[in-house]
Amino acid sequence: VTRTENTLTSGLGLSHAVQGATLDDFAFPSAEVSQCPYPFYSALRKEAPVFKHPERNEFLISRRKDILHVLQHPEIFSNELSRSDKDLHRAAGHWITDVPEGDEEIITTNSMTGSDPPEHTLKRRIAATLVRRDRLERIQPRIAEIANELIDAFVDDGHCEVREQFADPLALAVICEVTGFPREDEEIYRQWVRIGTGHGRRYLTAEQRAEQDRTMGEQAEYVKALVLRKYEQPEDDVLSDVIKAHVERDGHLNVPYLTSEANLILSAGNETTSRLIATVVLLLLQNPDQMELLRRDRSLVRGAIEEALRYEAPTQWTSRLVVEDTEIDGVAIPAGAFVVNLYGSANRDETVWDDPDRFDICRPDVHKYHMGFGGGLHLCLGAPLARIEGQVALSTLLDRLDDIRFAPGKNDLDNIDHFQKRVPKHLFIEFAPGGPAQ
Ligand code: HEM
């Protein structure tokens, strides 16, 4: 199933034949499911909501209520995936050389996303400076400025490619300004390979893993050097604040841990937000009635962003390691297995959503129930920033570009070749050159 430009509100153009497909028709992961996972999710929810993968020691969880159960029991479903296989789940800090002495007993090298309470609680509390109110208030006008600068560069052309010319550079610039990653090195961060770090790594082929590993050491050394620099010369940014707070608490600098955390914050806040921005533009173009509603009533921008997070969750799933024998919905799950929380499926769960395959920016209370940001203790820390960024990006595009439409003949709208991430490879659009008539 591929996305086409004229699928309108039919839910990514699923044909009836595919909607009626059964679980036997799919493999996970597979190119077909990466292109459009929703028929597979639907078959899972119907036939086996807690589904033992035929070849892997893992269970796919597809109903919202069961995913919530997993998220609410971190003592059974652990985020510390490195307990299973250190090679598969190495945070950036595990890659650095010349490790200075650190107190590994207080804080492990994993970032917060690879940690469980009580350690996770300590790490997350300190990193919450990321979304401090005054910081968010300061960044909001900067997001609009950066968005406007990017649009200035293509507005007279009457066309652009949304990801490369807008969403990617905007998200990277914002995360750099907030966290303290130097913007002059943006090109370096763009080169960093992230096919499958963390949760995705255990699905990679040997070749893909080698490709990922090729740049991991280099990334980690870069981030380590930055941590040391921010420690010696702190500035008004998130990295400096996080480093300072950890040193005050622990009495020394834990370089491996802080390297992991800094690397996580850069990667978690960059590509995800870019995917959201490109996706919401795509969805509005596929649903012209919704675009029209938004053009008439700009207060719907917030709803459009939340509905995009539901409809096409930029990160489709994450996993947990099962640390004691348990069961979900009567299905026994042994210690040592993984569960895969299919957030993208929870967001289409028909027991939660009316007409879940319809993109509807006026859907009430969507922000309360979608799992675009995960949930529980590990609910996306950057969500408030991502929300503001998505809203400002979309508003600025609508202010500056009139008559936005697909560039004819240039879009196949294929998803990137990735089994965890949703965004089209390219999104070529056209609009009235020069911006709205005054
Ligand atoms: C649209 C944009 C974003 C999406 C869709 C997204 C999605 C997610 C999801 C699904 C999780 C939960 C992972 C899990 O289940 O284990 C998560 C966690 C996280 N996100 Fe985001 N994220 C976005 C933006 C950001 C931004 C802008 C930042 C930082 C500036 C950020 C930082 C984090 C961090 C640090 C965690 C780990 C939290 C923890 O383990 O306690 N994210 N994100």
Side-chain angles (χ1 to χ4, degrees):
V1 180
T2 52
R3 298 191 257 202
T4 58
E5 291 174 7
N6 58 359
T7 49
L8 304 182
T9 56
S10 64
L12 288 185
L14 312 185
S15 71
H16 288 296
V18 173
Q19 277 176 336
T22 67
L23 260 185
D24 293 340
D25 298 323
F26 300 99
F28 180 81
S30 64
E32 184 199 9
V33 167
S34 296
Q35 275 313 313
C36 182
Y38 303 107
F40 172 55
Y41 295 161
S42 165
L44 280 173
R45 289 191 305 273
K46 251 187 243 139
E47 294 175 45
V50 179
F51 176 68
K52 165 75 179 70
H53 194 290
E55 285 130 36
R56 296 168 173 277
N57 189 17
E58 64 186 39
F59 292 76
L60 307 184
I61 316 293
S62 51
R63 281 191 198 149
R64 187 178 182 282
K65 75 172 176 59
D66 296 329
I67 295 177
L68 208 55
H69 171 82
V70 169
L71 296 173
Q72 286 168 347
H73 291 89
E75 71 290 358
I76 303 175
F77 303 100
S78 165
N79 264 60
E80 207 180 318
L81 305 187
S82 59
R83 282 157 76 170
S84 70
D85 179 341
K86 288 225 174 337
D87 179 56
L88 279 184
H89 301 288
R90 280 203 277 174
H94 292 274
W95 291 84
I96 60 177
T97 51
D98 299 331
V99 180
E101 266 184 40
D103 192 346
E104 302 286 319
E105 279 170 21
I106 298 177
I107 290 283
T108 69
T109 304
N110 295 335
S111 66
M112 77 184 103
T113 196
S115 311
D116 293 327
E119 188 179 307
H120 170 261
T121 321
L122 297 175
K123 291 173 174 174
R124 184 160 168 132
R125 197 177 293 148
I126 285 179
T129 176
L130 176 68
V131 286
R132 228 174 46 201
R133 184 190 288 253
D134 64 310
R135 205 184 291 286
L136 294 180
E137 280 168 6
R138 265 184 291 146
I139 196 65
Q140 183 151 351
R142 274 299 292 148
I143 300 172
E145 274 170 30
I146 300 167
N148 275 307
E149 282 164 19
L150 291 165
I151 295 172
D152 287 343
F154 59 70
V155 65
D156 290 336
D157 301 339
H159 60 85
C160 79
E161 196 285 304
V162 175
R163 289 193 59 205
E164 194 137 312
Q165 291 178 265
F166 186 68
D168 286 356
L170 176 63
L172 185 54
V174 171
I175 199 72
C176 286
E177 291 206 3
V178 173
T179 57
F181 274 83
R183 282 198 63 188
E184 60 267 28
D185 287 347
E186 282 178 1
E187 211 34 58
I188 297 178
Y189 314 139
R190 261 190 250 272
Q191 308 299 323
W192 287 354
V193 176
R194 298 200 195 268
I195 343 171
T197 49
H199 300 260
R201 187 169 162 87
R202 66 179 185 278
Y203 293 96
L204 300 188
T205 60
E207 294 77 42
Q208 285 174 319
R209 228 175 264 176
E211 170 69 356
Q212 178 66 65
D213 293 353
R214 198 174 51 77
T215 68
M216 250 342 269
E218 185 189 311
Q219 292 180 36
E221 290 298 336
Y222 175 100
V223 179
K224 177 182 112 178
L226 182 63
V227 165
L228 291 171
R229 206 159 75 234
K230 293 279 174 189
Y231 173 58
E232 280 150 24
Q233 299 151 23
E235 289 172 86
D236 180 11
D237 55 42
V238 168
L239 283 186
S240 303
D241 284 4
V242 168
I243 292 165
K244 186 163 168 280
H246 271 286
V247 172
E248 273 170 12
R249 212 203 53 221
D250 298 346
H252 67 85
L253 183 71
N254 185 332
V255 177
Y257 161 62
L258 288 163
T259 299
S260 297
E261 203 67 281
N263 187 61
L264 167 73
I265 291 172
L266 175 70
S267 61
N270 172 23
E271 295 169 27
T272 45
T273 316
S274 164
R275 295 202 291 278
L276 169 65
I277 294 168
T279 296
V280 73
V281 176
L282 169 67
L283 289 169
L284 289 166
L285 288 171
Q286 286 179 318
N287 297 274
D289 59 327
Q290 302 294 299
M291 176 75 99
E292 189 49 38
L293 276 177
L294 193 55
R295 286 268 185 208
R296 282 207 303 259
D297 180 358
R298 223 37 104 60
S299 71
L300 295 174
V301 161
R302 191 180 292 246
I305 293 297
E306 297 302 324
E307 177 69 344
L309 284 160
R310 179 192 75 84
Y311 196 85
E312 286 283 14
T315 298
Q316 286 279 303
W317 53 265
T318 64
S319 36
R320 300 289 187 265
L321 175 66
V322 180
V323 294
E324 62 182 63
D325 291 350
T326 188
E327 55 107 6
I328 303 178
D329 258 356
V331 178
I333 303 184
F338 288 95
V339 289
V340 177
N341 292 329
L342 296 171
Y343 300 133
S345 172
N347 286 351
R348 304 283 186 114
D349 185 332
E350 37 292 284
T351 63
V352 178
W353 309 98
D354 290 335
D355 203 359
D357 293 331
R358 193 159 64 87
F359 178 71
D360 174 3
I361 65 172
C362 300
R363 211 177 263 282
D365 288 338
V366 61
H367 64 285
K368 288 192 191 157
Y369 303 107
H370 76 67
M371 288 190 154
F373 290 125
L377 295 178
H378 293 271
L379 176 76
C380 176
L381 178 65
L385 174 61
R387 288 189 151 115
I388 292 175
E389 206 175 323
Q391 291 164 17
V392 172
L394 180 55
S395 291
T396 313
L397 273 182
L398 294 174
D399 287 345
R400 297 287 310 276
L401 307 181
D402 242 4
D403 190 21
I404 305 177
R405 54 201 183 268
F406 285 113
K410 294 189 85 172
N411 292 294
D412 54 22
L413 303 184
D414 282 353
N415 200 68
I416 56 169
D417 298 322
H418 204 286
F419 43 88
Q420 196 182 12
K421 303 176 181 176
R422 286 301 280 168
V423 71
K425 283 181 186 152
H426 309 285
L427 179 56
F428 293 97
I429 60 168
E430 291 183 350
F431 43 84
Q438 296 305 311

